[in-house]
Amino acid sequence: MAIFIDKETRLVVQGITGRDGSFHTSQMMEYGTQVVAGVTPGKGGQTFTGPDGSSVPIFNAMDEAVAATGANTSVVYVPPAFASNAILEAADSGVALVVAITEGVPVLDMARAHAFARDKGVRILGPNCPGLISPGKSKVGILPAQIVKEGPVGVVSRSGTLTYEAVFQLTQVGLGQTTCVGIGGDPLIGTNFIDCLKAFEADPDTSAVVMIGEIGGTDEQEAAAFVRESMSKPVVGFIAGQTAPPGRQMGHAGAIISGSAGTAEEKMKAFADHGIAVAQRPADIVGLIQEALG
Amino acid sequence: MDIHEYQAKERFALAGIPVPPGRVATTPDEAEAIAIEYGRAVMVKAQVHSGGRGKAGGVKYCTDSASAREHAAAILGMEIKGLVVEQVLVTPAEDIATEAYVGVLIDRKNQAATFMVSPDGGMDIEEVAASTPDRIRKLSVDPRYGLLPHQALWLANFLYDDPALIKQAGKVVSQLYEAFVDSGASMTEINPLITTPEGEIKAIDAKMSIDGNELFRRPDVAAMRDLSAEPESETKAREAGLSYVKLDGNVGCCVNGAGLAMATMDLVKYYGGEPANFLDIGGSSNPDKVVSALEIITSDPNVKVILFNIFGGITRCDDVANGIVEATRRIDIQPPIVIRLTGTNEELGVKILEEAGFSAYTSMDDVVEKAVELAKE
């Protein structure tokens, strides 16, 4: 098993004709993801040609794409100015999961989009996230497929390349993954650590979880409390940004220490206090997972 | 993006919030002239992107124009939390009967703009929240409906007993929400919101931060950016599409991805060094970006060594290697460069670097240890 995406995932790519959208669509198809449709307003009726020569129909709107193909998931590669509308349209189209890759979406737009998706019972992942991959099954987003491997470890992270770092180290020692999820670096995200931890706890194939957080907000602290109360599986944690100065945004819009809140120190303490093994550096993650798995 | 008090007051005034008049001066002469024009006691207030201006001596009450001149001379050029004061706001001093606090920010947990109000204005709201949480009333605004009139009054009710003041404050609360949304803000506050002995309400101080993601559609707000308030290197980085934050150490860092960039800085510290900067070159392997990154890093005279930490995911290692080689051909770089390159097309990338005389590491720990060692030489 895996969480959120698997072999049953039928994907619509929003923004399939754009530079990023078309590149990553090919990558996802190469990995074996069932890409069943694309959406680009004004380009309905055209087709996208996949790396193996197969053709994917393009629609003008999400509802048409879903009606025609039975898609259950969408991924958004639409530029920031139009991204929140694309997310709203997807949430209204009948898909269960919307993966928003776009970086730079105005926060107030996302406040509205998240509220709308909650009302519709639709899961949003991101925005400003690398997406997710269930090794051997499906990939939605931009995660590099060659560094993952099937296995028992669940990975959830606010960062992209730092996730790759951790996943690569796991794979190198032969520890594969059930699903690797990048939840995104924005202040308002649709799927948080707790959502992923719950799913990993319920997934029979996941035996341990790596949780990679960073400065800003209190999502990690709340996740730590959840781990103590509701998780039977071991969790290993890492926090980036111990050397980040307060009040400065470190790349990600959400990576900022506000006042005295959201420091790496308090997050690491919350992890340790709630029984999460804390890696001092990325290279320690593998050892702690090996220990946890016995 | 932070804006100055006088700019935040302009945004407030656009929404109809009562703010006292005021003008900005960059010299003591100008400050004096403005004070003469007002013909009464004025406040001279340092315009810097920092709290604690009053405690630092950057806000002064001036009985007349001569004292406005004198205080402006002292405040202009003063350093507050590392920021040099380039401008002061000169504004008529108000008679204050009471001080309240009204603020809005994006609350991550509730995923909504959230109001905080308190009848205890003029203090740091974090302190009020910590010591007397019962003196704060909070309300998250449902983004589907916006701030409803009865909610604005519910907040105002917490501030005053006098029905006339409640009515005025309710209006100010609604107007502040409008200013927040129309400016694309991530935070704004009036501290203090005063009442005068005549029963008028006024916002005599203003703070606002803008969500950087809003700027593309709000040119009037984007134009409020004060380039003098940030280091030149950060301006240059922004223009080149790089995320860069200058720090005080001597290990220059160039990394792809924000999380990995932070983890790299942390590892420099772990091995006993100090990072000179945060720098995320993003997913691109465009040599122009690498050139800009190297120019920015080397413009910091503290930098003793340059550390690349690249994890090729979608970005290919050979592209990045070509970028580094081309960049170092285009510009002359004095400090030694150490490179970690791993991931997609790693072998090709390493070969390109070796042919150009660089050695590449595969482990993040090894390269950071080496960089710290070189920085200590």
Side-chain angles (χ1 to χ4, degrees):
Chain A
M1 294 230 340
I3 69 167
F4 304 151
I5 60 166
D6 55 26
K7 289 211 150 120
E8 309 303 315
T9 297
R10 295 173 61 79
L11 185 70
V12 189
V13 179
Q14 295 178 261
I16 193 168
T17 54
R19 189 180 56 108
D20 292 342
S22 57
F23 173 77
H24 291 295
T25 301
S26 293
Q27 297 267 316
M28 289 188 288
M29 290 175 80
E30 222 160 73
Y31 194 68
T33 304
Q34 289 189 66
V35 178
V36 297
V39 166
T40 299
K43 299 207 171 158
Q46 300 182 12
T47 54
F48 176 87
T49 307
D52 61 351
S54 64
S55 84
V56 176
I58 299 176
F59 299 86
N60 284 321
M62 276 300 290
D63 63 321
E64 294 167 20
V66 172
T69 64
N72 55 18
T73 301
S74 94
V75 61
V76 177
Y77 294 105
V78 173
F82 313 105
S84 78
N85 280 337
I87 294 166
L88 288 166
E89 190 195 346
D92 217 5
S93 71
V95 299
L97 170 66
V98 181
V99 179
I101 307 299
T102 312
E103 177 174 7
V105 187
V107 175
L108 284 168
D109 287 2
M110 283 316 301
R112 198 174 52 146
H114 287 311
F116 185 81
R118 271 196 301 276
D119 283 353
K120 297 276 176 185
V122 173
R123 174 181 299 289
I124 293 178
L125 183 67
N128 189 15
C129 80
L132 71 173
I133 185 165
S134 296
K137 299 181 181 73
S138 185
K139 151 177 148 152
V140 176
I142 63 172
L143 284 126
Q146 67 279 8
I147 59 166
V148 303
K149 170 185 158 67
E150 278 181 78
V153 183
V155 179
V156 54
S157 169
R158 274 169 72 184
S159 146
T161 44
L162 184 54
T163 315
Y164 310 164
E165 179 79 43
V167 169
F168 183 60
Q169 290 182 11
L170 289 168
T171 297
Q172 272 185 318
V173 299
L175 277 169
Q177 306 88 38
T178 45
T179 303
C180 307
V181 190
I183 58 176
D186 266 14
L188 303 190
I189 51 173
T191 298
N192 61 20
F193 281 118
I194 292 180
D195 296 323
C196 296
L197 291 170
K198 268 185 200 161
F200 281 130
E201 177 71 9
D203 173 32
D205 290 342
T206 300
S207 312
V209 179
V210 175
M211 172 162 60
I212 299 172
E214 63 190 28
I215 54 163
T218 54
D219 203 14
E220 289 85 353
Q221 291 88 316
E222 283 133 32
F226 174 84
V227 168
R228 156 149 296 173
E229 281 156 28
S230 310
M231 277 196 77
S232 62
K233 297 174 183 176
V235 178
V236 170
F238 176 79
I239 301 287
Q242 297 170 54
T243 49
R248 299 303 308 270
Q249 181 185 319
M250 306 301 277
H252 290 153
I256 180 166
I257 299 167
S258 317
S260 55
T263 63
E265 199 187 349
E266 73 179 73
K267 287 169 193 272
M268 290 166 83
K269 185 174 180 303
F271 278 5
D273 288 351
H274 289 89
I276 296 170
V278 182
Q280 293 300 320
R281 48 188 184 138
D284 294 337
I285 292 171
V286 165
L288 291 171
I289 281 286
Q290 282 170 328
E291 238 171 74
L293 291 173
Chain B
M1 179 185 98
D2 291 335
I3 61 175
H4 291 300
E5 172 195 355
Y6 78 90
Q7 296 169 318
K9 282 180 170 168
E10 287 171 18
R11 301 303 302 180
F12 286 3
L14 278 178
I17 298 171
V19 289
R23 277 171 53 202
V24 169
T26 54
T27 64
D29 283 349
E30 279 174 26
E32 186 181 24
I34 298 166
I36 290 171
E37 217 173 282
Y38 290 133
R40 51 185 282 200
V42 295
M43 301 299 294
V44 172
K45 306 176 82 178
Q47 298 297 290
V48 284
H49 296 154
S50 156
R53 291 175 300 163
K55 275 183 202 154
V59 178
K60 292 288 179 192
Y61 173 78
C62 314
T63 48
D64 56 21
S65 57
S67 109
R69 180 196 179 84
E70 203 175 296
H71 282 302
I75 294 171
L76 286 163
M78 170 190 276
E79 212 172 279
I80 300 178
K81 294 188 184 161
L83 300 163
V84 178
V85 181
E86 311 265 5
Q87 349 174 54
V88 291
L89 174 65
V90 183
T91 177
E94 299 287 337
D95 291 328
I96 298 173
T98 67
E99 297 183 299
Y101 173 95
V102 180
V104 194
L105 51 74
I106 296 287
D107 183 275
R108 294 184 177 204
K109 214 166 163 182
N110 294 320
Q111 302 204 316
T114 298
F115 270 91
M116 272 210 280
V117 303
S118 172
D120 300 337
M123 296 164 64
D124 179 353
I125 197 67
E126 269 200 37
E127 274 169 39
V128 178
S131 56
T132 50
D134 57 315
R135 299 287 287 168
I136 290 180
R137 180 170 274 189
K138 281 190 187 185
L139 177 101
S140 281
V141 181
D142 189 321
R144 289 164 294 198
Y145 308 121
L147 181 72
L148 300 169
H150 76 279
Q151 295 174 323
L153 279 176
W154 182 74
L155 292 169
N157 265 324
F158 192 65
L159 302 180
Y160 307 109
D161 294 324
D162 177 351
L165 288 178
I166 291 169
K167 200 176 157 201
Q168 282 186 66
K171 205 170 157 194
V172 167
V173 165
S174 295
Q175 289 163 332
L176 188 66
Y177 184 69
E178 192 187 317
F180 180 86
V181 172
D182 290 348
S183 307
S186 53
M187 186 282 292
T188 186
E189 62 180 31
I190 306 173
N191 190 20
L193 178 72
I194 62 154
T195 59
T196 64
E198 295 76 37
E200 272 182 296
I201 283 188
K202 286 181 188 177
I204 65 163
D205 200 359
K207 219 187 235 183
M208 191 181 276
S209 300
I210 308 296
D211 171 10
N213 294 349
E214 292 268 3
L215 297 177
F216 76 91
R217 61 183 180 192
R218 301 188 193 282
D220 54 333
V221 178
M224 289 182 156
R225 187 187 294 278
D226 178 2
L227 293 179
S228 71
E230 67 182 8
E232 207 180 304
S233 52
E234 292 184 10
T235 309
K236 194 165 181 249
R238 198 180 51 253
E239 282 163 359
L242 306 165
S243 298
Y244 172 86
V245 176
K246 195 189 167 320
L247 303 169
D248 296 330
N250 59 12
V251 179
C253 301
C254 185
V255 187
N256 67 330
L260 191 62
M262 278 189 273
T264 304
M265 287 161 40
D266 295 350
L267 205 58
V268 167
K269 181 101 177 171
Y270 179 90
Y271 283 111
E274 290 290 343
N277 63 276
F278 167 94
L279 193 155
D280 172 11
I281 58 165
S284 163
S285 44
N286 180 348
D288 292 340
K289 270 201 175 179
V290 183
V291 171
S292 300
L294 282 170
E295 280 174 354
I296 289 159
I297 292 173
T298 51
S299 71
D300 176 354
N302 293 336
V303 169
K304 287 247 180 74
V305 58
I306 299 168
L307 161 65
F308 274 88
N309 184 11
I310 305 296
F311 196 105
I314 295 306
T315 311
R316 288 162 41 181
C317 287
D318 52 329
D319 283 347
V320 178
N322 279 324
I324 295 172
V325 171
E326 200 184 318
T328 51
R329 271 187 200 141
R330 274 202 241 162
I331 52 171
D332 181 35
I333 292 163
Q334 292 306 318
I337 299 177
V338 292
I339 303 163
R340 182 274 182 126
L341 197 60
T342 200
T344 313
N345 289 10
E346 175 179 328
E347 280 169 32
L348 252 173
V350 170
K351 195 164 159 259
I352 292 164
L353 287 176
E354 281 172 350
E355 278 168 6
F358 295 104
S359 52
Y361 293 77
T362 51
S363 140
M364 177 167 163
D365 283 72
D366 292 348
V367 79
V368 170
E369 256 193 291
K370 182 69 187 172
V372 170
E373 186 192 311
L374 286 171
K376 283 183 176 160
E377 273 175 11

